[in-house]
Amino acid sequence: MGEFMTETQHRPAGVPLATQPPEGRGTVVTGRAGPPGPADTPEAAVILERTRASVDPEMRAAVESLPPSMRRIAGYHFGWTDPDGTPASGGAGKAIRPALVLTAAAALGGPRARAAALRAAVAVELVHNFTLLHDDVMDRDTTRRHRPTAWTVFGDADAILAGDALQALALRLLADDPHPASAKAASRLADCVVELCAGQHADTALEKRRPTEVTLDEVLAMAEAKTGALLGCACALGALYAGAGDGGVRAMDAFGREAGLAFQLIDDVIGIWGDPSRTGKPVGADLAARKKSLPVVAALTSGGPAAQELAALYEAPYGQEDLQRTVLAVERAGGRDWAQAQAADRMACAVQALARAVPEPEEAGGLLALAEFVTRRSA
Amino acid sequence: MGEFMTETQHRPAGVPLATQPPEGRGTVVTGRAGPPGPADTPEAAVILERTRASVDPEMRAAVESLPPSMRRIAGYHFGWTDPDGTPASGGAGKAIRPALVLTAAAALGGPRARAAALRAAVAVELVHNFTLLHDDVMDRDTTRRHRPTAWTVFGDADAILAGDALQALALRLLADDPHPASAKAASRLADCVVELCAGQHADTALEKRRPTEVTLDEVLAMAEAKTGALLGCACALGALYAGAGDGGVRAMDAFGREAGLAFQLIDDVIGIWGDPSRTGKPVGADLAARKKSLPVVAALTSGGPAAQELAALYEAPYGQEDLQRTVLAVERAGGRDWAQAQAADRMACAVQALARAVPEPEEAGGLLALAEFVTRRSA
């Protein structure tokens, strides 16, 4: 499922990198007019840092409650320990999802709601990490947060079991939470897990199909289930803990979902045109792996000679000399323009949903900053 | 995790069968004095049939609520559909765990509590099936309930995802349940999932170690976590839905745990000395796979020449001609006697715990019948 910045998955070594794109080409357009203002980024950074300060002790306490065998695998996955259990200094990721829970709660219910929503924030982050553990097994990804993935260290079985245990832990935290919203939150989070599973299934299934057989609607639906659903759920849980009604919860979910889709679109653009020295992600890996990412499917389904050329390239075995041709074909077939325009549209939808969810504009600033943080990354 | 009767896992073809043991040798001794009375078995059968009648529609409705991709895999796993989704006539197992939930609720709270506990019964069965889906992937088991396992049909990824979705579905059912016990039940069920994961981890880890390096306490603890925990949880959930206090819930959990351990001991005995024409399970498969089952570890740790012979056999590659020698070594080293005596002890503990949980003896009959049903199987 979609990842942010330091959580970027690194492909196995040996995947060729594209040459750096021309200066400035990669700047991503979001729903807000004008170039990204440096004033906002610190706000998101402050929110994320505050979130980690609140969430980390609870996360560690929750994982500490696991039996030693599960604790060891989970602790390694979070970057807290080495495989043998000795403490390590790795970070457990950006904590964007718990930040959305806490910031949504604060936007609608102030500091009290933010404090009350802490367990829900931890639960969402545990669910996210359960899916990472399982997805890495299924996708055979070997690196996560700059370390070997858990299954490469402990084996498939242990990575699956640790993921299972983290899902259970997440839902137990909510079951034990006396807050009146906890049951609704647990129900919603469990529903979200089902949606994440269906999304991961769709992703795997789409990758097995021929490039010309995949529609844009299918890939958008998959990205919404795989990436949008949990961001939406995070926001919805924050709203629930602030006592919001059905309409407010729904609008908050829509905000997170749309922002999540915008993020995925941008992430896919960066995967093709990004600057590896800034993203830390080997450029060209998605194309080399013939991934049916959003810009690629937009290009494939655009009609015209560039789409045909791309389809032919995608049907043939990958050759390193094809990379630049493939990048150009996606671009000429409009894949990049479409993805950037679509990301801007989705951000506009997110902003509209946010206005419905949080009628006071000054209360919405934190959520807006987070949405822009995840979607505004220069490529 | 432990299975009953029709759910017995069949090993891949080609595993040699032991010759049938002498008549009557395999009859299993349980905590109750005298030979098994035919009067009890019908009662358990009636309880199980009533349970299936109550639980099946709810199970199907719950699985029906999944997205199509997850529904298809789960429906196949339960034996309701063929891989392509067309209805099939397979059974979904004995439903012993939901029967324990409902019968425990009825024992302490009558028909009203039984009716109220229906969702909890479904949740426990969903959790059981989530673990079966995942265990089959990890153990590479190819047959379950007389059909190819889900991962052999749909691939590892889909079997993992369907298991993940069933866990979420189970905990969502409880989150949506307005019954005052539902949050405690969800917390307990989630804790049980963590214990099941630790048990499966221990099983995998024990199998990787040398036969002489495994202690009896370790294997007993593993069997309790892998098999006893969910039977105990099923009984505890029934007690919670009947409004029992902490002491009653604990005693009910102990009853299910001890009965579960007795079952596992008997199941391991049957795996070595059972009559394949009656158990449907290829005899000798556990020994051929060098499984560190309870009678085997009891034999290995007994000291003396038979234990040494067994250790030497278990260290060497399996040869078909060794099977009879291995069986005899386990027997001569006291593995069979120990397991049968231990099973009887565990059943006695279960009966004591049941007396604490259900003070009225006439109300305890159903649970006793179920415990004897799972443990009293002639080998």
Side-chain angles (χ1 to χ4, degrees), chain B residues 10 16 35 54 67 69 114 137 140 158 185 235 265 267 305 314 328 363 370 379:
Chain B
H10 293 253
S54 309
S69 57
R114 185 191 184 276
V137 170
R140 309 320 283 166
D158 279 357
C235 297
L265 286 152
D267 198 56
Y314 250 56
L328 276 171
E363 303 295 340
L370 287 172

CSV table of all heavy atoms in Angstrom, one decimal, chain B residues 10 16 35 54 67 69 114 137 140 158 185 235 265 267 305 314 328 363 370 379:
chain,number,residue,atom,x,y,z
B,10,HIS,N,-5.3,-34.0,5.1
B,10,HIS,CA,-4.7,-35.1,4.4
B,10,HIS,C,-3.4,-34.7,3.9
B,10,HIS,O,-3.2,-33.7,3.3
B,10,HIS,CB,-5.6,-35.6,3.3
B,10,HIS,CG,-6.9,-36.1,3.9
B,10,HIS,ND1,-7.2,-37.4,3.9
B,10,HIS,CD2,-7.9,-35.5,4.5
B,10,HIS,CE1,-8.4,-37.6,4.5
B,10,HIS,NE2,-8.8,-36.5,4.8
B,16,PRO,N,3.5,-43.3,3.1
B,16,PRO,CA,3.1,-44.6,3.4
B,16,PRO,C,2.2,-44.7,4.6
B,16,PRO,O,2.3,-44.0,5.6
B,16,PRO,CB,4.4,-45.3,3.7
B,16,PRO,CG,5.3,-44.2,4.1
B,16,PRO,CD,4.9,-43.0,3.4
B,35,PRO,N,-15.8,-47.4,29.7
B,35,PRO,CA,-15.8,-47.2,28.2
B,35,PRO,C,-16.8,-46.2,27.8
B,35,PRO,O,-17.7,-45.9,28.5
B,35,PRO,CB,-16.2,-48.6,27.7
B,35,PRO,CG,-17.0,-49.2,28.8
B,35,PRO,CD,-16.5,-48.7,30.0
B,54,SER,N,-28.0,-22.8,13.4
B,54,SER,CA,-28.1,-21.4,13.9
B,54,SER,C,-27.0,-20.6,13.2
B,54,SER,O,-27.2,-19.4,12.8
B,54,SER,CB,-27.9,-21.3,15.4
B,54,SER,OG,-28.7,-22.2,16.1
B,67,PRO,N,-16.3,-8.0,-0.2
B,67,PRO,CA,-16.2,-7.7,-1.7
B,67,PRO,C,-16.0,-9.0,-2.5
B,67,PRO,O,-15.5,-10.0,-1.9
B,67,PRO,CB,-14.9,-6.9,-1.8
B,67,PRO,CG,-14.5,-6.5,-0.4
B,67,PRO,CD,-15.1,-7.5,0.5
B,69,SER,N,-14.1,-10.4,-4.6
B,69,SER,CA,-12.8,-11.1,-4.7
B,69,SER,C,-12.6,-11.9,-3.4
B,69,SER,O,-12.1,-13.1,-3.4
B,69,SER,CB,-11.7,-10.2,-4.9
B,69,SER,OG,-11.6,-9.2,-3.9
B,114,ARG,N,-28.0,-18.0,24.9
B,114,ARG,CA,-27.6,-18.7,23.7
B,114,ARG,C,-27.9,-17.9,22.4
B,114,ARG,O,-27.1,-17.7,21.5
B,114,ARG,CB,-28.3,-20.0,23.6
B,114,ARG,CG,-27.8,-20.9,22.4
B,114,ARG,CD,-28.7,-22.1,22.2
B,114,ARG,NE,-28.2,-23.0,21.1
B,114,ARG,CZ,-28.4,-22.8,19.8
B,114,ARG,NH1,-29.1,-21.8,19.4
B,114,ARG,NH2,-27.9,-23.6,19.0
B,137,VAL,N,-1.0,-22.1,4.3
B,137,VAL,CA,0.0,-21.4,3.5
B,137,VAL,C,1.4,-21.7,4.1
B,137,VAL,O,2.3,-22.1,3.4
B,137,VAL,CB,-0.2,-19.9,3.4
B,137,VAL,CG1,1.0,-19.2,2.8
B,137,VAL,CG2,-1.5,-19.6,2.6
B,140,ARG,N,2.3,-25.4,4.1
B,140,ARG,CA,2.3,-26.0,2.8
B,140,ARG,C,1.3,-27.2,2.7
B,140,ARG,O,1.6,-28.2,2.0
B,140,ARG,CB,3.6,-26.4,2.2
B,140,ARG,CG,4.7,-25.3,2.2
B,140,ARG,CD,4.3,-23.9,1.9
B,140,ARG,NE,4.1,-23.6,0.5
B,140,ARG,CZ,3.4,-22.5,0.1
B,140,ARG,NH1,2.9,-21.7,0.9
B,140,ARG,NH2,3.2,-22.3,-1.2
B,158,ASP,N,-3.6,-14.6,-2.3
B,158,ASP,CA,-5.1,-14.6,-2.1
B,158,ASP,C,-5.5,-15.3,-0.8
B,158,ASP,O,-6.5,-14.9,-0.1
B,158,ASP,CB,-5.8,-15.2,-3.3
B,158,ASP,CG,-5.9,-14.1,-4.4
B,158,ASP,OD1,-5.5,-13.0,-4.2
B,158,ASP,OD2,-6.4,-14.5,-5.5
B,185,ALA,N,-15.8,-9.3,24.8
B,185,ALA,CA,-15.6,-10.5,23.9
B,185,ALA,C,-14.6,-10.2,22.8
B,185,ALA,O,-13.7,-11.0,22.5
B,185,ALA,CB,-17.0,-10.9,23.4
B,235,CYS,N,-15.5,-20.8,24.9
B,235,CYS,CA,-16.2,-21.0,26.2
B,235,CYS,C,-16.3,-19.7,26.9
B,235,CYS,O,-17.4,-19.4,27.5
B,235,CYS,CB,-15.6,-22.1,27.0
B,235,CYS,SG,-15.6,-23.7,26.2
B,265,LEU,N,-3.8,-34.2,22.5
B,265,LEU,CA,-3.0,-35.4,22.9
B,265,LEU,C,-3.6,-36.6,22.2
B,265,LEU,O,-2.9,-37.4,21.7
B,265,LEU,CB,-3.1,-35.5,24.5
B,265,LEU,CG,-2.2,-34.6,25.3
B,265,LEU,CD1,-2.8,-34.3,26.6
B,265,LEU,CD2,-0.8,-35.1,25.4
B,267,ASP,N,-5.4,-36.6,19.5
B,267,ASP,CA,-5.2,-36.4,18.1
B,267,ASP,C,-3.8,-36.9,17.7
B,267,ASP,O,-3.6,-37.6,16.7
B,267,ASP,CB,-5.4,-35.0,17.7
B,267,ASP,CG,-5.7,-34.8,16.2
B,267,ASP,OD1,-6.6,-35.4,15.7
B,267,ASP,OD2,-4.9,-34.1,15.5
B,305,PRO,N,17.0,-46.6,26.5
B,305,PRO,CA,17.4,-47.0,25.2
B,305,PRO,C,16.4,-46.7,24.1
B,305,PRO,O,16.7,-46.4,22.9
B,305,PRO,CB,17.7,-48.5,25.3
B,305,PRO,CG,17.0,-48.9,26.6
B,305,PRO,CD,16.9,-47.7,27.4
B,314,TYR,N,14.8,-40.3,14.4
B,314,TYR,CA,14.3,-39.0,14.0
B,314,TYR,C,15.4,-38.1,13.4
B,314,TYR,O,15.1,-37.1,12.6
B,314,TYR,CB,13.7,-38.3,15.2
B,314,TYR,CG,12.2,-38.2,15.1
B,314,TYR,CD1,11.4,-39.3,14.9
B,314,TYR,CD2,11.5,-36.9,15.2
B,314,TYR,CE1,10.0,-39.2,14.8
B,314,TYR,CE2,10.2,-36.8,15.1
B,314,TYR,CZ,9.4,-38.0,14.9
B,314,TYR,OH,8.0,-37.8,14.8
B,328,LEU,N,7.1,-48.4,17.2
B,328,LEU,CA,7.4,-49.2,18.4
B,328,LEU,C,8.3,-48.5,19.4
B,328,LEU,O,8.2,-48.6,20.6
B,328,LEU,CB,8.1,-50.5,17.9
B,328,LEU,CG,7.2,-51.6,17.5
B,328,LEU,CD1,7.9,-52.8,16.9
B,328,LEU,CD2,6.3,-52.1,18.7
B,363,GLU,N,-26.9,-28.4,34.1
B,363,GLU,CA,-26.7,-27.4,33.1
B,363,GLU,C,-25.4,-27.6,32.4
B,363,GLU,O,-25.1,-27.1,31.3
B,363,GLU,CB,-26.6,-26.0,33.7
B,363,GLU,CG,-27.9,-25.6,34.5
B,363,GLU,CD,-29.1,-25.5,33.6
B,363,GLU,OE1,-29.0,-25.4,32.4
B,363,GLU,OE2,-30.2,-25.6,34.1
B,370,LEU,N,-19.7,-32.2,24.6
B,370,LEU,CA,-18.9,-31.7,23.6
B,370,LEU,C,-17.4,-32.0,23.9
B,370,LEU,O,-16.7,-32.4,23.0
B,370,LEU,CB,-19.1,-30.2,23.4
B,370,LEU,CG,-20.4,-29.7,22.8
B,370,LEU,CD1,-20.5,-28.2,22.9
B,370,LEU,CD2,-20.4,-30.2,21.3
B,379,ALA,N,-9.2,-44.9,18.2
B,379,ALA,CA,-8.1,-44.8,17.2
B,379,ALA,C,-8.1,-45.9,16.1
B,379,ALA,O,-8.7,-46.9,16.4
B,379,ALA,CB,-6.8,-44.7,17.9
